[in-house]
């Protein structure tokens, strides 16, 4: 059988040679093992004195060698070997007499471990003696609460060693163990300012330079103990720890544990695992509590030890590779249930090396494998697949780095497929090289299926599936690099992506056909083939295209909206030029979208419509800035007062009051935006603009439905219903904006622009001389302006809102007109005539609003106006009755002041009170004075 040249692999757990020699690691590992087994296990380790073993120390070397490979259980077949697939040798047929004549045999597995770790009986005796002393001094103390190197240093001095040099070497080794476990590789990170750590560094540095003669009672020993225990007994949260941490930091713990696992190999046949491997592992597992090892780390470390031995011994013993693969399956199971970062670190370091080495072999398997070693191919594929599978779950940076190295290896292998092969230079210009590579990869996969898979199937049931999965991954890595360079949709990019789709279908088909007889029908292989998702890539490119255009739309709309003047003269439709341009851009964007050479317009359309919808909604919302609402313009309610007895307003008073008009308007009219308020024509243009947006969106939705319905992929019968829901933000925002604009136009016009005719003019002083005619004349002019500008579909809404604001303003003058107004019963005739003139203005012989609509909107005013010709006593009686109904017995002695109402009504106490406040007669004034002590409205000489 050909043997590969022996090679070594770097340790995944770091190189301990700069700190410990091999012999020092073995002796340390043996001490840890003896400590862990001192009072546990089926065969407790016992101390045998040198005198009792004297005869055996002088036994012939050959006899000793013959006995070292046997244990009390050597006659039974190893369960571990059977589970891992390792060959098991038949037990020797030697009689008891033959055993006696050939020398002694190992009586305990501890003795076997001593031999396997090459520990002399003298050292073994010293360790056992020390452990007995430690146990005697710390009776009942758990093994994980003992800092072994510290206890050993305290137990021995130079007199316990053959030479001073041997003692110093032993002391240095234990100090290095303490340094590694507590300072260099602690289980819990050290605080740089930790005084104990600094103190221990100084002690170890001094001891390494000039070894101490430490005794049990010396001050230096007590100092060392205090410092060591303070570091070993730390916890992450400051609580009392459950165990000491002196050998469970990475990688010290795995250096020691790997040394113990190496004892599973025969020291005379380095490719053979001893028959007593079950007992060796059973003992090794007892050290877990000290080394902080768990099942996952054990399986991972043992898998690496077997794999490493397979590689370094020339790849001649396939059983070692097979056993390593079986252990990786256990690691795979373990990693599903743990997310431990330490496990991740150890897994990624070992598995990355195993995967890298296996891939180097597999990438050239045509040259690497032949008839003599073909059996190892299946096991190597298994190791590589399991390593890659487990690493895919690992989150460490080391794994990411190793996977990048693997990607490069696969890419180099694919470079052997010359994209220009079998293709003329002219054809190469027409077909992107990666499309050619996809076709050649497909051809290679079919060759693999036809030539290699029938032979490989003997060792791997899914040989072709594994091969195409590897090709799939390699091409996928190259495709990923290509995709990273795609900045936008181009014909070449589409062609490459479509070629990738075809390749993936071919590879999946081969994998399925190869797995037809398997239990899962090839699902496991298919799951390992990470989809290229070429159509997703196309979709993402289109989404990027959409985002760029939607962002540009939003930026353009914001920029031009800031410069918009909302002039009616801008165009004949009286709409904002910025909105015209925004709608044009939206139309062009949708047209360009349907011209894109992609097969999934229907799927990606919601992305575009949603983006356009949000941008247009933002444009609409931004137009609201500064327009205000009804509360912006309605005057504040004046304080309650009463009229002077029989006072009349004469011309002198009216002239005096005019000087206060400006002041009152500022006090009563809320204008938070000052000069920034839009005028009525500008607001009308905004109404038209919002209406145009609603109309255009409706037309756009119908056109989209028509395009989708005419496409070959149109299969849905409810396409129209589906698409109509896409533009839901901007139509709703436009409708809301129209409502707010109509309200703003109406209340700004009545309470702000016509304030001089309504608030400052109507019924100020003598009612008969300040009637509504002037207000109606100016209002009619504004109605003409509104009718000439506003779109006919929303014109009625604006005029109705103006009418409602006019009625509200009329009632506000009558019931909250301030100190310049007072009404007598005789004035009610004028008031009703003026209100009729106001309603007639909106009817105007039927050319504006229908009579029933005017009737409906004027309901409140028509109900309140009769109060102005109702005699005072009757109103007082109604107010008293309603107040008592509300307040009950508490209103018998004195009527409480009714609260401000949110609407006017003849059955509402506050409305009746306001009528009395503006009633210019003595009965009203006395009632208000007596019951509410209201101040006089005016002080005028009769």
């Amino acid at each position: 059988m050909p043997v590969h040249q022996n090679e070594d692999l770097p340790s995944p757990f770091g190189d301990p040679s700069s700190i410990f020699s091999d012999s020092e690691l073995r002796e340390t590992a043996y001490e840890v093992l003896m400590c862990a087994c001192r009072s546990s296990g089926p065969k407790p380790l016992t101390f045998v004195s040198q005198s009792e073993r004297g005869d055996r120390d002088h036994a012939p070397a050959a006899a000793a060698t013959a006995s070292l490979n046997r244990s009390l259980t050597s006659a039974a077949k190893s369960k571990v070997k059977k589970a891992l697939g390792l060959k098991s040798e038949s037990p020797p047929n030697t009689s008891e007499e033959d055993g006696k004549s050939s020398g002694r045999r190992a009586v305990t597995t501890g003795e076997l471990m001593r031999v396997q770790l090459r520990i002399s009986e003298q050292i073994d005796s010293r360790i056992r003696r020390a452990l007995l002393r430690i146990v005697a001094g710390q009776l009942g103390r758990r093994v994980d609460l003992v800092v072994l190197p510290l206890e050993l240093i305290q137990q021995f001095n130079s007199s316990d060693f053959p030479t001073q040099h041997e003692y110093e070497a032993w002391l240095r080794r234990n100090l290095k163990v303490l340094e590694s476990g507590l300072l260099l590789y602690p289980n819990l990170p050290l605080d740089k300012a930790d005084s104990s750590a600094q103190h221990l560094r100084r002690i170890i540095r001094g001891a390494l330079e000039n070894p101490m003669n430490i005794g049990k009672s010396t001050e230096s020993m007590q100092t060392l103990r205090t410092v060591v225990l303070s570091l070993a007994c730390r916890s992450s949260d400051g609580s009392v720890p459950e165990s000491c941490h002196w050998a469970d930091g990475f990688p010290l713990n795995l250096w020691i544990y790997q040394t113990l696992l190496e004892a599973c190999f025969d020291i005379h046949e380095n490719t053979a695992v001893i028959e007593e491997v079950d007992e060796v592992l059973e003992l090794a597992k007892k050290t877990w509590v000290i080394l902080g090892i768990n099942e996952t780390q054990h399986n991972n470390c043992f898998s690496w030890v077997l794999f490493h031995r397979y590689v370094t011994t020339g790849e001649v013993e396939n059983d070692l590779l097979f056993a390593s693969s079986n252990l990786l399956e256990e690691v795979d199971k373990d990693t599903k249930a743990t997310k431990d970062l330490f496990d991740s670190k150890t897994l990624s370091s070992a598995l990355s090396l195993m995967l890298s080495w296996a891939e180097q072999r597999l990438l050239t398997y045509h040259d690497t494998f032949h008839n003599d070693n073909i059996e190892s191919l299946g096991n190597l594929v298994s190791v590589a697949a399991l390593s890659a599978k487990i690493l895919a779950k690992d989150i460490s940076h080391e794994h990411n780095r190793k996977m990048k190295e693997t990607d490069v290896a696969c890419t180099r292998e694919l470079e052997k497929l010359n994209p220009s092969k079998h293709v003329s230079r002219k054809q190469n210009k027409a077909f992107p090289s990666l499309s050619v590579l996809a076709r050649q990869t497909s051809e290679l996969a079919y060759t693999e299926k036809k030539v290699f898979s029938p032979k490989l199937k003997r060792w791997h049931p899914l040989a072709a599936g594994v091969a195409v999965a590897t090709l799939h991954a390699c091409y996928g890595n190259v495709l990923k690099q290509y995709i990273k360079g795609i900045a936008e949709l181009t014909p070449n990019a589409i062609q490459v992506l479509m070629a990738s789709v075809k390749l993936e279908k071919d590879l999946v088909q081969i994998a399925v056909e190869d797995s037809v007889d398997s239990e899962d029908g090839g699902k496991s292989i298919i799951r390992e083939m990470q989809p290229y998702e070429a159509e997703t890539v196309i979709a993402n490119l289109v989404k990027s295209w959409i985002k760029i255009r939607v962002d540009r739309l939003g930026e353009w709309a914001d920029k031009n909206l800031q410069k918009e003047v909302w002039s009616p003269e801008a165009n004949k439709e009286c709409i904002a030029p910025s909105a015209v341009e925004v709608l044009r851009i939206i139309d062009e964007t949708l047209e360009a979208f349907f011209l894109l050479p992609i097969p999934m317009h229907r799927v990606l359309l919601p992305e575009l419509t949603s983006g356009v919808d949000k941008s247009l909604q933002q444009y609409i919302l931004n137009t609201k800035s500064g327009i205000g609402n009804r509360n912006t313009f309605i005057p504040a309610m004046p304080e309650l007062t009463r009229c002077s007895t029989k006072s009349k307003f004469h011309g002198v008073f009216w002239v005096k009051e005019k000087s206060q008009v400006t002041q009152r308007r500022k006090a009563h009219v809320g204008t938070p935006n000052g000069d920034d308020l839009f005028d009525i024509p500008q607001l009308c243009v905004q109404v038209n603009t919002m209406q145009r947006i609603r109309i255009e969106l409706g037309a756009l939705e119908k056109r989209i439905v028509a395009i989708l319905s005419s496409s070959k992929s149109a299969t849905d019968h409810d396409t129209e219903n589906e698409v109509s829901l896409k533009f839901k933000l901007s139509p709703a925002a436009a409708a809301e904006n129209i409502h707010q604009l109509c309200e703003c136009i109406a209340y700004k016009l009545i309470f702000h622009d016509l304030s001089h005719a309504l608030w400052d003019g109507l019924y100020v002083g003598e009612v008969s001389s300040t009637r509504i005619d002037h207000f109606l004349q100016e209002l009619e002019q504004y109605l003409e302006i509104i009718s000439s500008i506003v779109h006919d579909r929303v014109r009625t809404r604006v005029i109705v809102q103006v009418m409602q604001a006019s009625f509200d303003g009329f009632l506000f003058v009558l019931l909250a007109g301030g100190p310049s107004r007072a009404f007598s019963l005789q004035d009610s005739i004028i008031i009703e005539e003026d209100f009729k003139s106001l309603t007639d203005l909106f009817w105007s012989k039927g050319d504006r609003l229908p009579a029933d609509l005017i009737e409906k909107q004027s309901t409140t005013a028509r109900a309140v106006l009769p109060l102005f010709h109702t005699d005072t006593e009757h109103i007082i009686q109604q107010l008293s009755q309603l107040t008592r109904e509300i307040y009950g017995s508490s209103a018998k002695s004195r009527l409480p002041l009714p609260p401000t109402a949110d609407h006017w009504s003849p059955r509402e106490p506050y409305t009746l009170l306001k009528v009395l406040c503006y009633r210019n007669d003595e009965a009203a004034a006395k009632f208000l004075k007596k019951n509410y002590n209201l101040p006089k409205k005016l002080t005028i000489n009769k």
Side-chain angles (χ1 to χ4, degrees):
M1 177 185 296
V3 179
H4 291 274
Q5 182 178 0
N6 290 13
E7 61 177 303
D8 199 3
L9 295 174
S11 173
F13 315 128
D15 185 9
S17 60
S18 61
I19 303 176
F20 300 104
S21 65
D22 290 345
S23 61
E24 286 177 327
L25 271 179
R26 289 196 299 272
E27 187 170 347
T28 300
Y30 189 68
E31 289 173 349
V32 172
L33 179 69
M34 293 297 103
C35 179
C37 298
R38 75 181 192 271
S39 60
S40 61
K43 305 178 182 66
L45 303 178
T46 56
F47 172 68
V48 181
S49 67
Q50 287 284 12
S51 61
E52 293 174 344
R53 298 194 296 181
D55 295 338
R56 288 179 292 173
D57 288 340
H58 299 286
T65 301
S67 66
L68 291 179
N69 290 326
R70 295 196 303 271
S71 72
L72 292 177
T73 60
S74 61
K77 289 188 177 181
S78 168
K79 294 181 180 179
V80 172
K81 281 192 170 186
K82 182 178 179 181
L84 296 181
L86 293 167
K87 290 183 295 186
S88 181
E89 299 178 2
S90 300
N93 293 322
T94 55
S95 63
E96 186 67 22
E97 290 77 10
D98 292 338
K100 292 180 180 179
S101 63
S102 60
R104 69 174 177 87
R105 61 187 295 176
V107 294
T108 66
T109 52
E111 184 74 1
L112 174 65
M113 288 297 293
R114 181 190 69 78
V115 174
Q116 289 294 99
L117 292 174
R118 303 173 190 176
I119 303 298
S120 68
E121 291 192 358
Q122 183 181 24
I123 294 176
D124 173 56
S125 176
R126 185 168 62 238
I127 294 173
R128 290 171 180 265
R129 187 169 62 251
L131 288 175
L132 287 177
R133 294 173 184 171
I134 294 171
V135 171
Q138 302 182 8
L139 186 62
R141 193 177 185 188
R142 297 201 322 264
V143 64
D144 55 337
L145 293 176
V146 175
V147 182
L148 182 60
L150 176 67
E151 301 298 338
L152 291 177
I153 291 174
Q154 187 168 1
Q155 291 297 327
F156 294 122
N157 53 44
S158 59
S159 62
D160 294 302
F161 293 81
T163 65
Q164 178 70 21
H165 175 74
E166 188 173 342
Y167 167 70
E168 292 179 358
W170 174 87
L171 179 59
R172 287 191 181 95
R173 176 178 63 80
N174 279 280
L175 289 172
K176 287 191 294 183
V177 172
L178 288 175
E179 180 183 33
S180 299
L182 299 176
L183 300 179
L184 300 180
Y185 312 108
N187 179 274
L188 297 175
L190 283 174
D191 186 347
K192 293 182 179 179
D194 192 317
S195 59
S196 296
Q198 296 174 358
H199 196 176
L200 181 59
R201 287 190 184 96
R202 290 194 295 270
I203 293 175
I204 293 176
R205 189 182 303 114
L208 291 177
E209 294 174 357
N210 185 20
M212 302 177 295
N213 184 17
I214 300 176
K216 289 183 180 180
S217 61
T218 63
E219 182 180 351
S220 58
M221 186 65 229
Q222 289 301 322
T223 301
L224 178 63
R225 171 175 288 277
T226 300
V227 173
V228 167
L229 291 180
S230 68
L231 291 173
C233 297
R234 291 181 299 118
S235 63
S236 58
D237 57 0
S239 61
V240 178
E242 297 181 356
S243 60
C244 292
H245 302 279
W246 63 272
D248 52 352
F250 176 83
L252 174 63
N253 57 348
L254 293 185
W255 290 347
I256 296 173
Y257 195 65
Q258 183 178 350
T259 302
L260 291 173
L261 294 180
E262 293 285 352
C264 294
F265 293 103
D266 195 317
I267 59 176
H268 301 289
E269 181 60 47
N270 58 5
T271 62
V273 176
I274 62 176
E275 289 300 309
E276 297 86 354
V277 62
D278 300 58
E279 287 83 355
V280 171
L281 291 179
E282 187 67 25
L283 281 185
K285 290 181 178 182
K286 295 182 182 298
T287 66
W288 287 6
V289 67
I290 296 177
L291 299 178
I293 303 295
N294 58 32
E295 188 74 29
T296 303
Q297 294 159 0
H298 163 78
N299 290 333
N300 180 37
C301 190
F302 196 19
S303 175
W304 165 256
V305 167
L306 293 169
F307 178 82
H308 182 261
R309 184 60 63 101
Y310 167 76
V311 173
T312 56
T313 55
E315 305 169 42
V316 297
E317 188 53 67
N318 188 49
D319 283 2
L320 297 178
L321 188 62
F322 183 58
S324 177
S325 173
N326 287 335
L327 278 170
L328 283 183
E329 291 184 358
E330 296 301 317
V331 173
D332 181 36
K333 296 176 184 177
D334 295 340
T335 56
K336 293 178 181 178
T338 180
K339 296 295 182 182
D340 189 283
L341 292 179
F342 181 76
D343 288 349
S344 175
K345 189 174 182 180
T346 58
L347 280 173
S348 61
S349 57
L351 295 177
S352 295
L353 281 171
M354 296 169 72
L355 177 61
S356 177
W357 187 91
E359 283 183 335
Q360 291 300 322
R361 290 290 190 272
L362 292 175
L363 287 174
T364 57
Y365 67 89
H366 294 86
D367 302 325
T368 302
F369 298 99
H370 37 77
N371 291 335
D372 292 334
N373 68 348
I374 195 67
E375 292 183 1
S376 62
L377 176 59
N379 293 331
L380 189 60
V381 171
S382 179
V383 168
L386 283 168
S387 298
K389 180 181 179 183
I390 298 169
L391 282 173
K393 305 168 188 172
D394 185 19
I395 59 174
S396 70
H397 295 293
E398 178 69 12
H399 160 236
N400 292 333
R401 183 180 69 82
K402 289 297 182 181
M403 289 305 296
K404 290 180 180 178
E405 294 176 359
T406 303
D407 293 343
V408 173
C410 291
T411 303
R412 289 177 179 174
E413 183 66 17
L414 279 183
E415 287 175 354
K416 295 179 182 179
L417 297 175
N418 186 357
S420 62
K421 188 178 180 181
H422 307 304
V423 181
S424 68
R425 183 175 300 177
K426 184 177 181 180
Q427 287 176 315
N428 264 329
K429 291 181 179 179
F431 297 94
S433 60
L434 205 56
S435 299
V436 178
L437 184 60
R439 187 177 69 249
Q440 292 179 346
T441 303
S442 181
E443 293 172 356
L444 179 62
Y446 281 109
T447 301
E448 184 74 23
K449 174 186 177 183
K450 180 179 179 182
V451 178
F452 287 97
S453 294
K455 297 179 180 179
L456 293 174
K457 216 169 183 63
R458 175 182 173 186
W459 294 275
H460 199 296
L462 304 176
V466 171
V468 297
T470 303
L471 288 174
H472 183 274
C474 291
Y475 182 85
N477 292 331
V478 179
L479 181 63
K480 287 178 183 178
Q481 296 300 318
Y482 174 80
I483 290 173
K484 289 180 180 178
I486 300 177
E488 59 182 352
L489 283 177
T490 62
N492 280 352
I494 295 295
Q495 188 175 20
V496 169
L497 293 171
M498 291 303 178
S500 302
V501 172
K502 183 180 183 305
L503 170 62
E504 188 166 46
K505 289 180 179 179
D506 291 342
L507 296 180
V508 170
Q509 182 63 29
I510 293 174
V512 171
E513 292 176 355
D514 184 60
S515 310
V516 67
D517 296 329
S518 64
E519 292 182 0
D520 64 353
K523 292 181 180 179
S524 59
I525 291 293
I526 301 302
R527 281 195 295 266
E528 293 180 10
M529 299 169 70
Q530 190 67 30
Y532 296 155
E533 297 182 345
E535 291 186 351
T536 301
V537 174
I538 296 175
N540 290 336
L541 290 172
V542 175
K543 289 179 180 180
S544 177
W545 179 92
I546 290 173
K547 184 179 185 302
I548 291 173
R549 279 150 184 81
V550 168
D551 290 346
R552 288 176 183 171
L553 172 64
E555 292 171 2
W556 190 97
D558 290 342
K559 180 180 178 181
N560 285 269
L561 183 60
Q562 294 175 6
K563 299 182 293 184
E564 187 61 74
V565 295
W566 306 99
S567 173
E569 290 80 20
N571 46 56
K572 63 180 181 180
E573 294 89 358
C574 295
I575 61 176
S578 60
V580 174
E581 191 63 18
V582 166
L583 292 171
R584 183 190 63 80
I585 294 174
I586 292 174
D587 185 76
E588 291 179 353
T589 301
L590 281 166
E591 183 178 357
F593 170 76
F594 284 110
L595 290 176
L596 290 175
I598 58 175
M600 65 280 289
H601 288 104
R602 182 184 301 273
V603 176
L604 296 174
L605 179 61
E607 186 89 12
L608 177 59
T609 54
S610 175
V612 169
D613 199 18
K614 290 178 181 177
S615 294
L616 192 54
Q617 179 199 30
Q618 191 59 44
Y619 171 84
I620 294 169
L621 294 177
N622 289 341
T623 63
K624 288 186 176 183
S625 178
I627 65 174
N629 53 48
R630 62 182 296 168
N631 294 327
T632 304
F633 306 103
I634 295 178
M637 192 74 71
E639 294 183 2
L640 294 172
T641 58
R642 58 190 172 88
C643 288
S644 300
T645 305
K646 299 296 182 179
S647 62
K648 292 293 182 180
F649 301 99
H650 302 286
V652 175
F653 174 77
W654 173 239
V655 173
K656 181 181 178 182
E657 283 297 306
K658 281 189 175 181
S659 64
Q660 302 175 8
V661 166
T662 303
Q663 182 177 356
R664 285 200 305 271
R665 287 180 61 184
K666 290 182 178 179
H668 292 170
V669 179
T671 56
N673 296 309
D675 296 335
D676 293 337
L677 287 170
F678 293 97
D679 59 26
I680 299 302
Q682 287 178 312
L683 293 173
C684 291
V685 172
Q686 289 201 29
V687 172
N688 288 347
T689 302
M690 296 300 107
Q691 181 63 19
R692 171 60 69 87
I693 289 174
R694 295 179 67 190
I695 294 172
E696 290 297 327
L697 286 178
L700 193 59
E701 289 174 353
K702 292 180 180 178
R703 201 170 83 201
I704 290 173
V705 172
I707 294 174
L708 292 179
S709 299
S710 63
S711 65
K712 295 181 180 180
S713 60
T715 56
D716 299 333
H717 297 291
D718 59 344
T719 303
E720 184 172 356
N721 294 331
E722 178 183 344
V723 176
S724 65
L725 299 177
K726 301 307 177 181
F727 292 107
K728 56 184 178 180
L729 299 177
S730 45
E736 174 62 26
N737 210 4
I738 289 175
H739 172 75
Q740 184 174 341
L741 283 166
C742 291
E743 186 179 82
C744 179
I745 290 172
Y747 285 86
K748 179 180 184 298
L749 174 59
I750 301 303
F751 288 93
H752 184 273
D753 293 9
L754 294 180
S755 175
H756 62 283
L758 179 69
W759 185 256
D760 296 329
L762 183 61
Y763 304 146
V764 172
E766 291 291 344
V767 173
S768 60
S769 60
T770 54
R771 297 185 65 173
I772 202 170
D773 297 338
H774 179 59
F775 171 74
L776 294 180
Q777 291 174 3
E778 295 199 29
L779 176 58
E780 186 173 17
Q781 294 175 5
Y782 274 105
L783 289 176
E784 293 296 333
I785 294 173
I786 292 172
S787 298
S788 64
I789 297 176
V790 177
H791 192 280
D792 56 1
R793 291 193 182 182
V794 287
R795 185 180 303 141
T796 299
R797 292 184 60 184
V798 177
I799 295 177
V800 168
Q801 198 67 56
V802 172
M803 179 177 65
Q804 182 63 58
S806 301
F807 296 161
D808 288 350
F810 188 77
L811 287 180
F812 205 89
V813 167
L814 297 178
L815 299 173
S820 60
R821 292 176 174 89
F823 305 101
S824 65
L825 288 175
Q826 292 76 16
D827 294 331
S828 63
I829 298 174
I830 296 175
I831 293 172
E832 291 183 353
E833 289 176 352
D834 285 351
F835 184 72
K836 183 178 185 306
S837 299
L838 178 60
T839 57
D840 289 346
L841 174 65
F842 290 99
W843 182 69
S844 290
K845 299 179 183 179
D847 60 355
R848 284 212 173 108
L849 297 177
D852 58 341
L853 182 57
I854 297 174
E855 184 73 21
K856 178 180 179 182
Q857 296 295 324
S858 63
T859 300
T860 299
R862 293 183 185 279
V864 171
L865 289 182
L867 294 176
F868 286 85
H869 62 70
T870 303
D871 64 84
T872 302
E873 292 300 329
H874 184 70
I875 294 177
I876 292 174
Q877 182 181 359
Q878 283 186 303
L879 174 59
S880 301
Q881 180 181 350
L882 289 173
T883 303
R884 291 189 180 95
E885 288 177 1
I886 295 173
Y887 293 96
S889 58
S890 61
K892 289 183 178 180
S893 59
R894 184 172 182 177
L895 296 178
L897 191 68
T900 302
D902 57 358
H903 66 282
W904 306 117
S905 170
R907 294 291 299 169
E908 198 279 315
Y910 187 73
T911 303
L912 297 173
L913 178 64
K914 295 294 285 186
V915 172
L916 292 175
C917 287
Y918 289 91
R919 178 60 59 88
N920 192 15
D921 66 21
E922 185 176 356
K926 287 183 178 180
F927 174 79
L928 297 175
K929 171 66 174 176
K930 176 182 178 182
N931 287 276
Y932 307 113
N933 196 27
L934 296 183
K936 291 182 180 181
K937 188 178 299 186
L938 295 169
T939 303
I940 302 174
N941 294 327
K942 294 184 180 179

